[in-house]
Amino acid sequence: MVNEDPNPVERDDNPAQESALQKDPSFSAAPSVSVHPSVSVHPSVSVHPNVSIQPSTSAHPSSSAQPSGLTHPSSSGPEDLGVIKVSRRRWLVVLVFSCYSMCNAFQWIQYGSINNIFMNFYGVSTFAIDWLSMCYMLTYIPLLLPVAWLLEKFGLRTIALTGSALNCLGAWVKLGSLQPHLFPVTVVGQVICSVAQVFILGMPSRIASVWFGADEVSTACSVAVFGNQLGIAIGFLVPPVLVPNIKDQEKLAYHISIMFYIIGGVATLLFILVVIVFKEKPKHAPSRAQSLSYALSSPDASYLSSIVRLFKNLNFVLLVITYGLNAGAFYALSTLLNRMVISHFPGEEVNAGRIGLTIVIAGMLGAMLSGIWLDKSKTYKETTLVVYIMTLVGMVIYTFTLNLGHLWIVFVTAGVMGFFMTGYLPLGFEFAAELTYPESEGVSSGLLNVSAQVFGIIFTISQGQIIDNYGTLPGNIFLCVFLTLGAALTAFIRADLRRQKANKETPETKVQEEEESNISKAPTIMSEAHL
């Protein structure tokens, strides 16, 4: 990456001519008007110290740009809105976030992946162990809006520190629950981790927008979601290996303590890394859309009015419902997977975890490929619809092959289903960011996650009761019905890609592209101050 001189290139223009232009009542500062034959105006670029450009109010139908938006940018923005440049630190930031998100996701599924073992150790019902997973979903719903407000008020670094600290605290609290009568202590530790999740789950699209350029943002969002999915995968794989299904309570407590100590140490290390690595924002805006978003932002903006505007956006409302149906089905399937596999293959706790691992690993691959594809094609609506339909197809195949009695078939069908079902998650985040720009990505992602938690609780309880009373086949058909509904609703979402429109309002000239290619072949976004 090349660090350009942030100072604008000097021109031979006559300042008196520009002053005359400014005083001329017929002069228009709209982004589509050229002030000088050699100067292309962009809402996020200050063309001359004496000429301020008012950003177009068409960037978002519900947002009005203040006349001083660019001359007096919000304090939440970078130092110079006229410079568009990506930071070298961006990949380190997203990787650290991905890692502590992974740790938190592991703690979500670590009980569900060996449901029967914890049920026998603590002497509680299967439903009580299910609630150790569902508390993650239940906690998120009432805390989303306060945490989203905190994100807007105090920024990314404060939210990252709080989330990683709570995740670390919850992991160490669980070490106090290594006796069969101490089930309430493990519940407390899990609830603390579930609160940490509220500070984590809606962050990927926000981090991607704040730190990454227009051609990297979808890939970065996929990397951020990747960590959460990797944590679920490890949560399926590691607990059955570390905690065998044995009758001796003391030996079982010893094996559980090993798992709790490992996760506590990892959570502590990641908290330290967040303190060292995580910054609030880069020095310069990484894209035109983000620069304009900073310019339009106002410290006096109403948080509730933003939510009202989002719910007036029909396309976003449809996406909230369809995302909730898909992610809720995934949450229910993950929580109940151990129970479903054990009912068909008794004593196969380790393979049940491996099947869960297969679902998530395949989904991580799907998420990465879909992120790269979106950055290249920008076909958000089409990609989302195809992935949703394939999720339904994969779920139907998995449903009708689970009872064939062949584990290898279950591995294959579960992998196909997971490739699309889990791969859909970052697609939803990025599609929402496009539909709702320039509203906060933290709010839009948070509302998607609330929908996922609500449907996750409903589906987990309902499918669990259906499995207990009628078997796994009717339980999985139950999910197939709702995935069909979600695919149908996705077809009605209109691809109103507002963030893409903001990035394309002022395309770079051919001369600039040639200069960039001569300087560096790396995908670095050049400073627009050179205009």
Side-chain angles (χ1 to χ4, degrees):
M1 184 182 70
V2 178
N3 293 324
E4 300 83 21
D5 182 2
N7 296 319
V9 177
E10 293 184 2
R11 301 192 308 271
D12 296 329
D13 301 344
N14 188 345
Q17 292 176 347
E18 289 184 352
S19 177
L21 281 173
Q22 187 180 14
K23 294 177 181 178
D24 187 355
S26 64
F27 173 70
S28 172
S32 60
V33 178
S34 295
V35 179
H36 187 277
S38 63
V39 179
S40 175
V41 181
H42 187 274
S44 63
V45 181
S46 180
V47 179
H48 190 276
N50 296 326
V51 181
S52 62
I53 306 303
Q54 181 176 349
S56 170
T57 56
S58 63
H60 193 284
S62 58
S63 301
S64 60
Q66 299 298 324
S68 60
L70 292 182
T71 54
H72 302 286
S74 168
S75 60
S76 63
E79 296 177 11
D80 188 352
L81 295 180
V83 178
I84 307 298
K85 187 189 301 181
V86 292
S87 168
R88 292 177 179 176
R89 184 185 285 260
R90 65 194 189 283
W91 289 111
L92 188 58
V93 169
V94 78
L95 286 175
V96 169
F97 168 80
S98 189
C99 286
Y100 77 80
S101 177
M102 172 191 69
C103 181
N104 184 260
F106 174 91
Q107 297 194 76
W108 167 58
I109 204 63
Q110 68 181 153
Y111 296 99
S113 62
I114 48 175
N115 184 296
N116 57 322
I117 295 176
F118 276 108
M119 180 182 68
N120 294 330
F121 179 73
Y122 288 116
V124 296
S125 66
T126 302
F127 189 63
I129 300 298
D130 288 344
W131 268 109
L132 290 175
S133 295
M134 287 191 290
C135 74
Y136 263 60
M137 309 173 201
L138 187 64
T139 305
Y140 192 91
I141 299 169
L143 294 182
L144 162 70
L145 295 182
V147 171
W149 178 83
L150 289 173
L151 175 61
E152 296 305 306
K153 187 73 174 178
F154 298 103
L156 281 174
R157 177 173 168 81
T158 300
I159 297 301
L161 288 171
T162 305
S164 58
L166 288 172
N167 184 64
C168 178
L169 176 62
W172 287 109
V173 168
K174 292 176 185 178
L175 278 165
S177 65
L178 296 175
Q179 295 296 327
H181 65 281
L182 295 176
F183 181 71
V185 178
T186 211
V187 171
V188 172
Q190 189 73 342
V191 168
I192 294 174
C193 292
S194 72
V195 175
Q197 179 215 211
V198 187
F199 291 84
I200 296 171
L201 210 55
M203 295 274 281
S205 59
R206 179 60 174 264
I207 291 175
S209 294
V210 169
W211 283 90
F212 287 83
D215 294 333
E216 301 173 327
V217 66
S218 295
T219 302
C221 184
S222 296
V223 171
V225 174
F226 181 92
N228 190 271
Q229 303 308 309
L230 181 60
I232 298 172
I234 297 173
F236 277 120
L237 178 66
V238 172
V241 175
L242 293 181
V243 185
N245 190 2
I246 56 180
K247 300 295 183 182
D248 190 316
Q249 293 287 72
E250 290 186 4
K251 290 183 179 180
L252 189 57
Y254 169 74
H255 288 290
I256 293 174
S257 71
I258 291 176
M259 180 172 68
F260 285 171
Y261 271 114
I262 291 174
I263 198 66
V266 170
T268 303
L269 175 62
L270 291 172
F271 172 67
I272 295 172
L273 283 176
V274 170
V275 173
I276 297 172
V277 170
F278 220 96
K279 287 182 64 178
E280 175 61 32
K281 57 186 177 292
K283 182 178 180 180
H284 303 292
S287 67
R288 297 185 184 93
Q290 190 62 25
S291 180
L292 180 58
S293 178
Y294 285 138
L296 292 175
S297 65
S298 169
D300 301 324
S302 171
Y303 177 67
L304 291 178
S305 66
S306 174
I307 297 175
V308 171
R309 285 194 298 270
L310 289 177
F311 278 107
K312 287 181 179 179
N313 186 333
L314 178 60
N315 295 311
F316 176 68
V317 171
L318 288 174
L319 182 63
V320 167
I321 296 172
T322 57
Y323 183 91
L325 291 171
N326 190 302
F330 170 70
Y331 291 159
L333 197 67
S334 300
T335 302
L336 302 172
L337 183 64
N338 175 268
R339 196 189 309 182
M340 286 190 283
V341 174
I342 294 300
S343 66
H344 290 285
F345 305 95
E348 294 286 355
E349 290 88 0
V350 174
N351 274 322
R354 289 172 179 167
I355 291 171
L357 174 69
T358 302
I359 291 174
V360 180
I361 292 294
M364 286 159 44
L365 177 61
M368 291 301 298
L369 291 178
S370 63
I372 295 171
W373 170 254
L374 283 185
D375 279 333
K376 298 294 184 183
S377 68
K378 310 301 183 186
T379 54
Y380 290 85
K381 162 69 179 293
E382 296 82 356
T383 304
T384 301
L385 182 58
V386 169
V387 170
Y388 214 122
I389 293 173
M390 293 307 298
T391 297
L392 172 60
V393 172
M395 185 68 198
V396 170
I397 295 173
Y398 170 80
T399 297
F400 290 99
T401 57
L402 184 60
N403 59 356
L404 295 181
H406 300 289
L407 265 175
W408 69 270
I409 294 179
V410 179
F411 273 96
V412 173
T413 57
V416 172
M417 175 187 65
F419 180 86
F420 296 103
M421 178 178 280
T422 314
Y424 171 81
L425 301 182
L427 285 178
F429 285 149
E430 282 300 287
F431 199 11
E434 291 291 339
L435 294 175
T436 61
Y437 176 85
E439 306 291 353
S440 168
E441 296 86 355
V443 178
S444 62
S445 297
L447 292 174
L448 291 183
N449 284 320
V450 164
S451 178
Q453 312 305 329
V454 170
F455 282 112
I457 292 173
I458 295 172
F459 289 168
T460 301
I461 295 175
S462 302
Q463 189 185 18
Q465 293 299 313
I466 294 172
I467 290 173
D468 290 342
N469 295 310
Y470 303 103
T472 57
L473 182 62
N476 286 327
I477 291 176
F478 168 80
L479 293 183
C480 290
V481 171
F482 284 97
L483 287 175
T484 303
L485 174 62
L489 291 176
T490 300
F492 289 97
I493 300 175
R494 186 168 61 90
D496 182 17
L497 307 182
R498 298 174 177 178
R499 187 172 63 181
Q500 293 302 316
K501 292 176 184 176
N503 278 323
K504 293 178 180 178
E505 275 185 351
T506 308
E508 294 181 341
T509 65
K510 186 175 181 180
V511 174
Q512 287 177 303
E513 293 172 355
E514 290 174 353
E515 288 176 353
E516 180 176 344
S517 63
N518 290 334
I519 295 174
S520 173
K521 296 297 183 181
T524 303
I525 300 177
M526 305 296 289
S527 167
E528 292 198 16
H530 288 289
L531 288 169

